[in-house]
Amino acid sequence: MAENARHHEPRYGNRPTMKDVAARAGVGLKTVSRVVNGEAGVTPDTERRVQEAIEALGFRRNDSARVLRKGRTASIGLVLEDLADPFYGPLSRAVEEVAREHGALLINGSSAEDADREQELVLAFCARRVDGLIVIPAGSDHRYLEPEMKAGVATVFVDRPAGRIDADVVLSDSFGGARAGVAHLIAHGHRRIGFIGDQPRIHTATERLRGYHAAMADAGLPVDDAWVSLGSTSPDRVRDAAESMLRGPSAVTALFAGNNRVTVTAVRVLAGREHPVALVGFDDIELADLLGITVISQDAATLGRTAAELLFRRLDGAEERAARVSLPTVLIQRGSGEIPPPSLG
């Protein structure tokens, strides 16, 4: 009977406490506390008994109450768009490294580009008393964060600015990068250039579209409405947009892809075409060097590190006005963006 009772005891959720350690070692609770926290006043023999009990029970100190008494939890939250997106891997890793340097734990989650989910995640992190937040925003109204920020939760936005509040932000130069990429295509003889981007409510998508229009205007080139498509980055949508631009008498001779997911689909659409079509993508992609894809590269790791360092400066007491940091992009020529149009080939 006793054996059956033991068999049905819950396996999880019953962590040993300091009271359990004290009972096993035959000492008082205060003695266990002193040993656990490295305080003086315990004889070597008593300390040995307590350590043996700790090891036998698998006891671990609960840091939550200790750090809460100090007013800090030594943790920060990171809200990304999509943990599966290769762009966010190096960004997240860089944030984690900076957090580690400051003795803090990183907790992260994906918003899936959903504003409600972003808010839910952010407030869940705040409920767990994180010291600070780094947010790649999905929504356009972040006033829900004002009470948390006033309560002392340091917050830095990355890749896109906050909506309707004044907050620190670290960005890549989306406008300048897109302008340089399209200008590069123009310099190689293209006059009909298509732009396929993300959804128009997204800051980076509109900035890159603005850069596209600026480059075309700089060269005195008109833009046909049929050459521009913003929307979901799903492969089907991007494929339809690209194939539409590549048909008819005013078909484009080059494409500018607004982000890495668009670039991947564009590469598949252009593969094996009878007449090569020039392509420049915003964001580097895996194997782009082997495939010869010309890109506008933004340094995701530097974005993450810059944002995290700014966050910890705030946590250390820096109180200057909200910062807006813009990091440069780099044009990497690999062949696809240097293909001339058919008339010049």
Side-chain angles (χ1 to χ4, degrees):
M1 191 71 172
E3 185 67 26
N4 289 336
R6 282 197 300 273
H7 181 72
H8 291 292
E9 285 177 357
R11 184 178 177 185
Y12 303 109
N14 293 316
R15 292 181 176 179
T17 67
M18 283 203 291
K19 286 183 179 179
D20 297 325
V21 174
R24 186 178 183 96
V27 300
L29 190 59
K30 181 62 177 176
T31 299
V32 175
S33 177
R34 284 175 176 159
V35 173
V36 167
N37 292 297
E39 298 173 3
V42 182
T43 66
D45 182 63
T46 300
E47 182 176 357
R48 177 185 56 77
R49 296 206 320 272
V50 171
Q51 292 290 5
E52 287 175 352
I54 287 172
E55 186 175 344
L57 293 171
F59 170 81
R60 288 183 64 84
R61 181 177 66 183
N62 181 358
D63 282 339
S64 299
R66 184 173 62 89
V67 295
L68 283 172
R69 285 196 297 270
K70 296 181 178 181
R72 295 275 284 269
T73 61
S75 63
I76 63 171
L78 171 61
V79 178
L80 301 166
E81 176 194 346
D82 183 358
L83 286 169
D85 189 322
F87 174 75
Y88 293 116
L91 188 153
S92 177
R93 178 64 181 270
V95 172
E96 185 175 24
E97 287 299 316
V98 174
R100 187 167 177 264
E101 290 165 11
H102 288 81
L105 178 69
L106 176 67
I107 310 168
N108 58 30
S110 299
S111 69
E113 202 62 71
D114 183 290
D116 291 336
R117 185 167 170 178
E118 172 213 301
Q119 180 173 341
E120 179 183 322
L121 268 173
V122 166
L123 294 181
F125 288 161
C126 290
R128 284 160 178 75
R129 303 289 297 274
V130 294
D131 299 321
L133 291 163
I134 294 177
V135 181
I136 289 89
S140 57
D141 187 349
H142 293 91
R143 287 176 296 177
Y144 71 86
L145 251 173
E146 285 182 329
E148 307 298 337
M149 293 170 70
K150 286 177 181 176
V153 180
T155 305
V156 177
F157 288 80
V158 183
D159 195 41
R160 310 162 189 173
R164 307 186 73 176
I165 63 171
D166 193 25
D168 293 323
V169 61
V170 179
L171 308 164
S172 290
D173 183 9
S174 285
F175 169 78
R179 189 177 193 175
V182 175
H184 184 71
L185 291 167
I186 293 169
H188 282 81
H190 296 279
R191 299 295 177 263
R192 301 194 303 273
I193 301 170
F195 177 94
I196 305 176
D198 211 330
Q199 306 204 45
R201 61 182 175 78
I202 297 174
H203 172 80
T204 49
T206 57
E207 282 296 285
R208 291 167 196 175
L209 177 60
R210 196 166 68 86
Y212 163 83
H213 279 293
M216 297 292 277
D218 290 343
L221 297 175
V223 175
D224 190 314
D225 289 343
W227 300 346
V228 175
S229 178
L230 296 182
S232 161
T233 58
S234 70
D236 287 345
R237 204 286 299 183
V238 173
R239 185 180 299 107
D240 289 347
E243 289 176 347
S244 175
M245 292 179 189
L246 293 166
R247 286 196 299 265
S250 62
V252 299
T253 61
L255 289 174
F256 185 86
N259 67 24
N260 55 356
R261 284 162 292 184
V262 175
T263 302
V264 169
T265 301
V267 169
R268 291 190 172 118
V269 170
L270 299 181
R273 290 184 66 87
E274 182 180 355
H275 300 293
V277 175
L279 171 67
V280 174
F282 202 111
D283 291 336
D284 217 341
I285 62 171
E286 190 175 4
L287 302 182
D289 53 340
L290 296 178
L291 295 171
I293 308 302
T294 296
V295 299
I296 301 297
S297 177
Q298 53 177 336
D299 191 335
T302 299
L303 273 173
R305 173 164 286 276
T306 302
E309 289 174 345
L310 177 55
L311 182 75
F312 280 100
R313 284 204 303 276
R314 293 300 191 197
L315 289 172
D316 288 339
E319 294 184 355
E320 65 264 22
R321 292 176 58 186
R324 186 183 181 95
V325 181
S326 181
L327 302 178
T329 56
V330 178
L331 171 67
I332 302 176
Q333 301 182 42
R334 297 192 178 114
S336 71
E338 294 69 57
I339 299 170
S343 58
L344 299 180

